[in-house]
Amino acid sequence: MIISLLGGAGLMGAGIVRDLLSDRAIIDIKTVRICDAQRERMEALKAELDDIRIELFDLDVTKPDALASAVAGADLCINCVPTLLGHQMTIFEAALAAKVAYMDLGGLGTYTVKQIAEHKRFKAAGVTAVVGCGADPGMSNVICRAVADELDEIDAINLYWAAELVGEENPVLVPPYSVSTVLAEYAHESTQFYGGKHVTCPPMSGSEYLDLPEPWGRCEFMHSPHSEQLTVPLADGIREKGIKEFSWKLHLPHREHEAWVGLVKAGFGDFDEPVEVGGVKVRPLDVLNKVIERNIKKNAARMPEQESHEIHFAIGRGRKDGVARTVTVEVVVKPDAMYAPYVDACTSMNGSIAAQLILASPKKPGVWAPEAYFDIPPYFAELEKRKFILSTRVE
């Protein structure tokens, strides 16, 4: 099989490549085509992994011919190009034109809705697309499906993600993922599902405190713009069970949370709106990225060892056989040597899991969210293979 990764030399793309080429693979991979604009990063990744199945493709995604060539002949196109660069729909349409199966890591809700609206076109063309296949969205959608399957009637499903750092406090701000995504999560309105309909909620609203096991402890969660709440409550097998509430809430480590709040207060929430400095227009995002990168390099010797812990969980409330039930499905990711070469192993490993499951079984044409596409048992088996800790509680 041939897999094309667009943006494949980026942090998430590189992680997907690592997992695809590991001994955990469940499919026969002939070629992994890394397509990126950064030749130096591609060559470094190829040299590091030293696998003859890797091919490099110089890609300028703004050039239609180059994009078409990058996708052509692949069994699957994985879009790892950052959503906020604005190429999501262009790549999505290029896969359809080439009749190549498509997968991405998420479209911040807005693009996800646009993509799913093209379900009939993809189905008619016999092309499969599964959108939002990282950790959140992606794995999170699948655990929501697992919750829903335990209930005959659903009142609410509430989805949460929390990260915590263990060790001496870091004097340097290290983004947990792309700076633009974090700022969007803190600065943008979100769409949640309350009262049986989608409603718009202000940035950083919906404050809720939950007591979690150590190392998280007492955590404050907030609404955040994501795609899960736009698809899960409308999915077959969930919608007809009467669901009236679905929310997605975020908690970042306490001191880091304060830093992102401060940046939004300072105006970096409008990260794409240029400002003029010395007669030159620059995007706040570009400036912030460079400052953070410089600060990390400059202060590398001051950065202590820290362990990252994360927990993803969905709580469903409803009834089974007429009896009230609360169902919790959670995935815990603790530090492990397996994750050392990865930046955000949970997202990239889940991207690899999704890609392999798409290719391992007959494809279903159309555009799908993960909760509508993947079967739970094989998906959960792949999570456990990667040392993610799964548990289900029914009360």
Side-chain angles (χ1 to χ4, degrees):
M1 293 184 179
I2 300 173
I3 301 174
S4 283
L5 287 99
L6 279 60
L11 297 178
M12 295 306 101
I16 293 174
V17 173
R18 285 188 176 90
D19 195 77
L20 287 173
L21 298 178
S22 73
D23 58 7
R24 295 180 290 274
I26 58 172
I27 58 174
D28 182 17
I29 299 174
K30 176 185 176 184
T31 301
V32 172
R33 188 186 295 162
I34 301 174
C35 311
D36 206 287
Q38 302 293 328
R39 165 57 68 163
E40 186 176 337
R41 293 172 80 176
M42 287 196 294
E43 290 179 345
L45 181 59
K46 183 176 182 179
E48 176 194 340
L49 298 179
D50 190 25
D51 194 303
I52 61 172
R53 292 173 290 176
I54 293 176
E55 289 185 358
L56 305 185
F57 185 99
D58 293 298
L59 174 65
D60 180 344
V61 76
T62 66
K63 296 181 178 178
D65 289 346
L67 178 56
S69 295
V71 174
D75 294 284
L76 178 66
C77 166
I78 304 178
N79 178 10
C80 301
V81 176
T83 303
L84 288 168
L85 291 181
H87 306 301
Q88 195 87 353
M89 297 305 291
T90 301
I91 298 169
F92 179 70
E93 290 290 343
L96 175 62
K99 294 190 180 297
V100 169
Y102 170 92
M103 190 198 95
D104 63 35
L105 300 179
L108 292 177
T110 302
Y111 290 112
T112 300
V113 170
K114 291 179 180 178
Q115 289 170 314
I116 289 177
E118 301 301 327
H119 175 76
K120 290 182 178 178
R121 286 179 62 219
F122 273 70
K123 187 174 182 179
V127 178
T128 298
V130 191
V131 296
C133 293
D136 303 85
M139 178 184 73
S140 56
N141 301 64
V142 179
I143 67 175
C144 288
R145 167 62 67 181
V147 165
D149 287 353
E150 295 287 338
L151 298 167
D152 297 329
E153 301 172 76
I154 302 172
D155 296 326
I157 298 177
N158 303 107
L159 180 60
Y160 305 88
W161 175 72
E164 198 56 69
L165 297 170
V166 175
E168 184 183 345
E169 183 182 338
N170 194 341
V172 178
L173 178 64
V174 179
Y177 31 84
S178 75
V179 172
S180 57
T181 299
V182 184
L183 290 173
E185 289 181 326
Y186 274 75
H188 292 179
E189 294 177 332
S190 69
T191 300
Q192 308 291 333
F193 191 77
Y194 289 120
K197 63 181 181 180
H198 284 110
V199 297
T200 301
C201 299
M204 292 185 276
S205 62
S207 177
E208 178 182 2
Y209 288 88
L210 294 176
D211 291 315
L212 303 181
E214 292 300 326
W216 296 278
R218 188 165 180 78
C219 294
E220 181 182 10
F221 289 86
M222 67 179 192
H223 287 142
S224 175
H226 258 240
S227 61
E228 293 96 323
Q229 59 268 35
L230 299 173
T231 65
V232 173
L234 304 182
D236 291 343
I238 298 177
R239 179 188 64 254
E240 61 268 30
K241 293 183 179 181
I243 188 168
K244 294 292 188 294
E245 177 177 319
F246 187 97
S247 62
W248 193 92
K249 294 185 179 181
L250 164 78
H251 166 83
L252 288 183
H254 296 80
R255 297 301 295 270
E256 279 69 14
H257 168 76
E258 294 171 2
W260 295 110
V261 170
L263 286 168
V264 170
K265 284 184 176 181
F268 282 95
D270 295 323
F271 50 82
D272 260 338
E273 186 177 333
V275 295
E276 189 169 312
V277 181
V280 178
K281 289 189 175 182
V282 295
R283 293 193 311 162
L285 176 62
D286 296 331
V287 174
L288 185 58
N289 267 322
K290 288 297 183 183
V291 171
I292 288 176
E293 288 173 10
R294 182 185 68 182
N295 197 44
I296 290 172
K297 290 179 181 178
K298 184 178 180 180
N299 294 287
R302 299 177 58 214
M303 294 169 61
E305 292 280 338
Q306 288 184 313
E307 292 184 341
S308 176
H309 297 248
E310 54 185 287
I311 182 170
H312 312 247
F313 60 103
I315 303 174
R317 297 174 178 85
R319 284 155 296 285
K320 178 74 172 180
D321 298 325
V323 178
R325 277 190 177 181
T326 298
V327 180
T328 304
V329 176
E330 71 179 30
V331 179
V332 172
V333 186
K334 294 183 177 181
D336 191 277
M338 179 188 291
Y339 311 141
Y342 294 80
V343 174
D344 190 359
C346 194
T347 296
S348 52
M349 285 184 169
N350 272 281
S352 173
I353 289 170
Q356 294 184 56
L357 291 176
I358 290 169
L359 292 171
S361 301
K363 300 184 189 73
K364 297 188 293 185
V367 184
W368 310 90
E371 70 275 9
Y373 195 87
F374 298 113
D375 293 328
I376 294 166
Y379 197 105
F380 279 8
E382 291 302 310
L383 291 178
E384 290 177 327
K385 188 189 295 183
R386 290 158 178 82
K387 302 186 180 181
F388 299 152
I389 304 167
L390 287 121
S391 63
T392 300
R393 298 190 301 275
V394 180
E395 301 166 327

